[in-house]
Amino acid sequence: MAHPPMSGPGGTAVAPAPTPVPTPVPAGTGARPPARRSAWSEGVDRLRAGATTEPGRLRIIGAALALLVVAFGAVTAWQVSGRAAAADDVVTSSQPLSADAASIYRSLADADTSAASGFLAGAQEPRSVTEKYEKDIAEASRLLVKAAANTEGSSASGQEIAKLNQQLPRYTGLIERARANNRQGLPLGGAYLRYANEQMTTQLLPAAKKLYDEETERLHRDYDEASAWPFVALALGVVALGALGWAQHRNYRRTNRVFNQGLLTATVASGAVLLWLVAGHAVASSGLDDSKAHGQESLKVLNDARINSLQARANENLTLVSRGAVTTADNKDKYDTDYTSNMAELVRRLGDAGRLADDAGGSAPVQQATAAVKEWKERHTAARVADDLGDYDQARDKVIGEKASTGQSFTEVDNALEKAVSWEQREFTEAAEGGRGALSGLAIGAAALTVLAAAAAVLGIGRRLAEYR
């Protein structure tokens, strides 16, 4: 559209000034907007800005208290759960497996003793002796199956179980050959019996002893884990209580209000968890320590004593079977020498068992066994005198006879030790279950109370924040 001419001074026409046209800016050369900062940097700045105001500080304090209390509860639940599981293993897994391993050893040793006793009786073994031998072999086989089901095959215990399962049929086969030859009156039966005893003492019993040692070591590891104090949880509990106390003191100094209901509730709940943790673990440790000192240790000594008595009895029988055919390097009867060593060890074990027994129920059977051992040794001496004088029949009667024989003394020792083992097993179970029960519910209770404490702390801080609105 054309603009009309304008009049200048003196009426002279002046052309209008042209409209300026903006100069285009080349692409890529214009000014750029400032770069956006990272979310982390912006968050830190907001936090710093908030920390300069009282509401901001309160929010930070509330979040820190909640986080600390929840961390305390989580660590408490985690550590207590591990110790409760270990205590449960002591009662239901490792100790029963250790006891089963001891029973495997005892059953094998008793079977060897019964086989030798039956052989001494002559071509026609007493039915009671044969049944006892078969019962021992069946019990050992049953316990090996049970142990295999609860043990990893690649572990040391699993390897010993496999060895026992492999060697046991060989042993029973040798015993059957010894019996068959003995029925026919062939002297080869004695050689088979000695070879079977050698297999038992050099293959089966050492493997059973290793199995027992492995399971007992596993039991001790469970004991250590269950009794270890949860120091991390205790430290967090103390820190959480200290932080809650500091927050309440700060609140009092700024408002002159003695109590903040939310923070007070959080403190009480956290204190209850810490107290429960200390008391529960103390009771659990006391119960487990008691079960170990007055139960498991006594059981170990008593099981060893029974094994010594069984080995002594087997060697006593084999002394008559071999008739001096097997000697030591100094030309003494090997089996009688081993008998003497077994009896000395048995006396030592009974002394240890008597010292460990803490009540009449445990000490009385040990005293009975000690008296029977003394009588056994006297009767054995009489049997050896008769055998040395060439009276084999009288010596045999003094060993396996129905009256005043070493066999009767051995039975009295074994029965007394069985009573002592049963008593100590009951003592162990009661003490260990008491220790395990002290940890029952602690993990769940700690988690619930600390969640309550965290919520109460946040609500308590929220009441203070509401005063700034």
Side-chain angles (χ1 to χ4, degrees):
M1 178 177 178
H3 294 277
M6 299 179 62
S7 298
T12 306
V14 180
T19 303
V21 179
T23 304
V25 179
T29 61
R32 296 181 180 179
R36 181 178 177 81
R37 301 177 63 197
S38 66
W40 171 259
S41 299
E42 292 181 356
V44 171
D45 287 344
R46 290 196 202 97
L47 188 62
R48 288 175 179 172
T52 61
T53 64
E54 181 61 13
R57 295 191 190 98
L58 289 174
R59 291 188 181 93
I60 294 172
I61 291 172
L65 289 176
L67 181 61
L68 187 57
V69 171
V70 169
F72 168 47
V75 173
T76 298
W78 169 57
Q79 291 197 304
V80 169
S81 295
R83 284 151 181 77
D88 188 65
D89 286 341
V90 167
V91 177
T92 64
S93 178
S94 52
Q95 198 282 330
L97 285 175
S98 176
D100 286 347
S103 295
I104 290 171
Y105 193 115
R106 188 170 57 249
S107 296
L108 292 174
D110 194 36
D112 197 49
T113 299
S114 299
S117 297
F119 191 92
L120 276 179
Q124 296 298 323
E125 296 183 7
R127 183 58 188 167
S128 59
V129 176
T130 304
E131 289 177 349
K132 187 177 182 182
Y133 166 81
E134 293 174 349
K135 180 181 178 181
D136 287 330
I137 295 297
E139 179 69 2
S141 300
R142 183 186 69 82
L143 291 175
L144 283 172
V145 171
K146 180 181 176 183
N150 293 279
T151 306
E152 294 182 5
S154 59
S155 65
S157 295
Q159 294 174 7
E160 299 304 328
I161 292 171
K163 184 184 296 184
L164 287 166
N165 283 325
Q166 182 183 27
Q167 294 293 334
L168 186 56
R170 297 180 182 178
Y171 171 81
T172 56
L174 290 171
I175 292 296
E176 292 306 318
R177 291 184 183 181
R179 286 174 170 175
N181 282 275
N182 193 38
R183 293 190 190 101
Q184 299 176 39
L186 300 176
L188 190 59
Y192 274 118
L193 184 65
R194 291 194 300 272
Y195 186 45
N197 174 259
E198 181 182 354
Q199 292 292 305
M200 176 64 74
T201 56
T202 61
Q203 300 291 332
L204 287 163
L205 291 182
K209 181 66 165 57
K210 289 181 181 178
L211 175 62
Y212 175 62
D213 291 341
E214 288 291 334
E215 294 303 329
T216 302
E217 180 62 26
R218 189 165 104 177
L219 172 61
H220 288 163
R221 288 196 299 269
D222 286 338
Y223 264 122
D224 292 341
E225 184 177 350
S227 300
W229 278 90
F231 289 113
V232 177
L234 291 172
L236 277 174
V238 172
V239 172
L241 282 178
L244 287 168
W246 171 82
Q248 291 179 87
H249 181 67
R250 181 181 184 277
N251 183 59
Y252 168 72
R253 291 182 60 188
R254 290 178 177 270
T255 65
N256 288 327
R257 294 173 183 170
V258 178
F259 295 117
N260 178 290
Q261 293 180 352
L263 293 177
L264 181 62
T265 301
T267 303
V268 171
S270 298
V273 173
L274 186 60
L275 182 62
W276 189 1
L277 177 61
V278 172
H281 198 278
V283 173
S285 295
S286 176
L288 291 171
D289 290 344
D290 187 58
S291 72
K292 184 177 182 180
H294 302 296
Q296 178 57 29
E297 293 300 326
S298 294
L299 283 171
K300 186 179 186 305
V301 171
L302 290 170
N303 283 324
D304 289 342
R306 291 191 75 181
I307 289 168
N308 291 138
S309 70
L310 289 166
Q311 290 177 331
R313 180 60 178 168
N315 284 316
E316 183 179 49
N317 291 336
L318 287 167
T319 301
L320 291 178
V321 172
S322 67
R323 299 187 182 185
V326 183
T327 60
T328 61
D330 54 356
N331 206 32
K332 293 182 179 179
D333 187 287
K334 176 185 181 302
Y335 297 114
D336 191 48
T337 301
D338 289 342
Y339 161 84
T340 302
S341 299
N342 296 145
M343 292 299 283
E345 188 67 16
L346 173 58
V347 171
R348 187 177 73 83
R349 295 290 185 183
L350 288 175
D352 293 340
R355 286 188 290 272
L356 287 171
D358 59 342
D359 51 29
S363 61
V366 174
Q367 293 173 359
Q368 295 171 6
T370 302
V373 166
K374 182 179 179 181
E375 184 181 57
W376 182 1
K377 293 170 70 176
E378 293 173 353
R379 291 176 176 179
H380 175 82
T381 300
R384 294 310 308 143
V385 169
D387 191 34
D388 291 340
L389 293 174
D391 193 344
Y392 176 79
D393 290 338
Q394 184 182 4
R396 185 185 63 183
D397 290 342
K398 289 183 179 297
V399 172
I400 64 172
E402 296 181 357
K403 295 182 179 179
S405 67
T406 59
Q408 288 181 313
S409 299
F410 161 74
T411 300
E412 291 175 5
V413 171
D414 195 58
N415 289 340
L417 289 175
E418 185 176 2
K419 290 180 181 178
V421 168
S422 298
W423 179 269
E424 296 298 341
Q425 182 65 51
R426 186 164 55 251
E427 293 278 292
F428 163 83
T429 302
E430 291 177 357
E433 286 185 346
R436 178 180 64 170
L439 297 175
S440 178
L442 177 53
I444 296 176
L449 284 174
T450 50
V451 169
L452 171 64
V458 171
L459 289 175
I461 294 297
R463 290 289 300 274
R464 283 284 293 119
L465 283 171
E467 297 172 3
Y468 288 89
R469 295 171 186 170

